[in-house]
């Protein structure tokens, strides 16, 4: 993935085009010339021969919704098979976000972005805290629950699926809550946060990270539109700084509001670089190439919006005040 997102006049060649050129054994510039600069963000190059793999990204146009077995396996390999995660940062990012809560084996944590739950289990392993994992996607939640059970952690790190508008949480039952890159996909965020806030004990912690737009103008940006076209259907990022007043109204003392974009960008680039370096020609069957190109299309578009300064990955940490 390149940091330059300005087009092709300066020699920039998208990741997907470079990958396809490598597979077909031709120079990427030949693909760029054949396709024209105005179509440089997809992988629709003319075939160099009958053996070439053809993957039409337009056929997969729209949000990446399904967590099929093949996509799940691909993303595990992309972000670290041994970590059992399907998002950037491995388990390191999740643990780093929770550590400032200073939770112990006497405390309980709710992770509302469990994913495949590798990070959720690592939080328990490193900090000793009892963790309830919840995942919005039922396919991921099912796989995550099976992994926890297989590791004998289905009591200490149970995983279940939830729907944001129907979630039911026991009041004042958690000492901390973690929400990673999830809120921007929930239409009624304030109602959801109200339920989450009620589940946190006095002096408990809420740490969230979310993709957010820098201003109203960013909503019209083409890079932002290209990213959101690939994200979940309900994706609608809020503006930077929007969560602080909401949390303060819900009784939190917001201690931290920081930009984690550089770290997030580094996690993404590290994941893709490690993945590509580990590929061999034998790995490149039609299914893997297709998954790789489609997944890369999503991350390239998000990273372009991030690098252009239109989107930021923000971290907010609030502590719930004692009742008056």
């Amino acid at each position: 993935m390149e940091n330059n997102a300005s087009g092709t006049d300066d020699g920039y060649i998208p990741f997907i085009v470079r990958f396809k050129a490598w597979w077909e054994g031709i120079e990427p510039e030949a693909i760029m010339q054949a396709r024209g600069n105005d179509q440089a963000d997809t992988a629709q190059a003319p075939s160099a021969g009958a053996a070439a793999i053809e993957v039409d990204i337009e056929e997969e146009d729209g949000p990446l919704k399904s967590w099929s077995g093949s996509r799940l396996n691909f993303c595990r390999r992309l972000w670290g098979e041994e970590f059992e995660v399907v998002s950037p940062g491995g388990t390191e990012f999740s643990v780093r976000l929770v550590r400032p809560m200073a939770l112990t084996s006497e405390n309980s944590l709710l992770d509302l972005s469990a994913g495949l739950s590798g990070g959720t289990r690592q939080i328990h392993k490193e900090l000793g805290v009892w963790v309830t994992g919840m995942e919005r996607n039922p396919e991921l939640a099912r796989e995550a629950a099976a992994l926890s059970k297989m590791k004998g952690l289905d009591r200490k790190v149970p995983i279940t699926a939830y729907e944001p508008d129907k979630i039911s949480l026991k009041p004042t039952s958690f000492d901390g809550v973690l929400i990673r890159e999830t809120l921007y996909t929930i239409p009624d965020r304030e109602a959801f946060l109200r339920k989450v806030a009620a589940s946190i004990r006095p002096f408990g912690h809420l740490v969230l990270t979310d993709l957010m737009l820098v201003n109203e103008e960013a909503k019209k940006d083409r890079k932002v539109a290209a990213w959101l076209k690939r994200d979940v259907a309900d994706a609608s990022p809020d503006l930077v700084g929007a969560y602080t007043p909401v949390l303060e109204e819900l009784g939190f003392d917001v201690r931290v509001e920081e930009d984690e974009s550089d770290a997030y960008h580094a996690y993404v680039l590290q994941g893709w670089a490690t993945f590509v370096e580990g590929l061999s020609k034998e790995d490149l069957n039609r299914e893997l190439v297709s998954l790789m190109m489609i997944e890369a299309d999503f991350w390239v578009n998000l990273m372009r919006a991030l690098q252009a300064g239109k989107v930021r990955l923000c971290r907010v940490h609030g502590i719930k005040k004692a009742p008056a």
Side-chain angles (χ1 to χ4, degrees), residues 134-178:
M134 299 185 75
E135 166 55 42
R136 188 178 179 188
N137 185 286
E139 296 161 300
L140 277 182
R142 190 161 47 246
E143 292 290 333
L147 284 169
S148 275
K149 184 174 183 179
M150 183 178 70
K151 295 174 181 295
L153 291 173
D154 46 327
R155 286 186 61 251
K156 293 183 177 180
V157 191
I159 311 293
T160 57
Y162 73 96
E163 296 180 43
D165 58 339
K166 298 178 181 178
I167 193 169
S168 178
L169 301 171
K170 184 179 178 181
T172 60
S173 53
F174 299 103
D175 300 294
V177 174
L178 173 65

Side-chain angles (χ1 to χ4, degrees), residues 54-316:
E54 289 300 318
V55 179
D56 191 344
I57 290 211
E58 292 303 320
E59 291 181 1
E60 299 291 340
D61 199 18
L64 294 174
K65 294 180 180 179
S66 172
W67 278 101
S68 63
S70 55
R71 185 187 176 210
L72 181 62
N73 290 334
F74 175 84
C75 287
R76 286 185 63 174
R77 183 174 176 183
L78 172 60
W79 303 119
E81 184 79 28
E82 70 275 21
F83 301 127
E84 297 173 340
V85 297
V86 288
S87 58
T91 59
E92 173 192 331
F93 194 26
S94 292
V95 174
R96 179 165 71 83
L97 291 171
V98 171
R99 197 175 292 280
M101 297 184 190
L103 302 178
T104 71
S105 58
E106 300 297 319
N107 302 122
S108 61
L109 173 74
L110 172 63
D111 183 354
L112 285 164
S113 44
L116 198 56
S117 69
T120 313
R121 284 186 292 276
Q122 190 65 22
I123 290 169
H124 166 73
K125 180 179 179 180
E126 291 196 25
L127 306 181
V129 61
W130 290 63
V131 189
T132 297
M134 299 185 75
E135 166 55 42
R136 188 178 179 188
N137 185 286
E139 296 161 300
L140 277 182
R142 190 161 47 246
E143 292 290 333
L147 284 169
S148 275
K149 184 174 183 179
M150 183 178 70
K151 295 174 181 295
L153 291 173
D154 46 327
R155 286 186 61 251
K156 293 183 177 180
V157 191
I159 311 293
T160 57
Y162 73 96
E163 296 180 43
D165 58 339
K166 298 178 181 178
I167 193 169
S168 178
L169 301 171
K170 184 179 178 181
T172 60
S173 53
F174 299 103
D175 300 294
V177 174
L178 173 65
I179 313 174
R180 273 193 59 184
E181 298 95 76
T182 298
L183 287 174
Y184 78 97
T185 68
I186 298 175
D188 195 347
R189 289 183 276 273
E190 290 196 25
F192 180 74
L193 283 172
R194 196 172 299 114
K195 293 178 182 178
V196 171
S199 75
I200 300 175
R201 298 180 178 122
F203 306 110
H205 301 256
L206 171 60
V207 171
L208 65 88
T209 59
D210 211 28
L211 292 162
M212 309 189 78
L213 303 180
V214 294
N215 51 39
E216 288 287 345
E217 288 70 30
K219 294 180 180 179
K220 305 173 186 176
D221 185 83
R222 287 190 296 177
K223 297 180 183 68
V224 172
W227 156 50
L228 291 176
K229 186 178 181 181
R230 279 294 192 199
D231 215 312
V232 299
D234 291 334
S236 178
D238 224 322
L239 301 185
V240 170
Y243 293 133
T244 294
V246 174
L247 294 182
E248 289 176 342
E249 184 179 340
L250 291 172
F252 286 85
D253 178 12
V254 177
R255 301 288 183 88
V256 177
E257 187 174 9
E258 291 188 354
D259 190 332
E260 292 274 355
S261 301
D262 288 346
Y264 192 66
H265 181 255
Y267 284 139
V268 172
L269 292 188
Q270 180 183 12
W272 276 100
T274 302
F275 175 78
V276 172
E277 286 172 7
L279 285 176
S280 66
K281 189 73 175 283
E282 290 70 30
D283 288 323
L284 302 178
N285 56 55
R286 182 181 297 272
E287 181 180 53
L288 186 138
V289 171
S290 177
L291 287 166
M292 185 178 187
M293 292 168 72
I294 294 167
E295 205 73 33
D297 191 52
F298 167 80
W299 287 104
V300 165
N301 285 320
L302 175 53
M303 290 301 101
R304 285 181 179 176
L306 200 76
Q307 286 297 94
K310 304 298 182 181
V311 176
R312 312 311 294 160
L313 192 282
C314 299
R315 173 171 64 97
V316 180

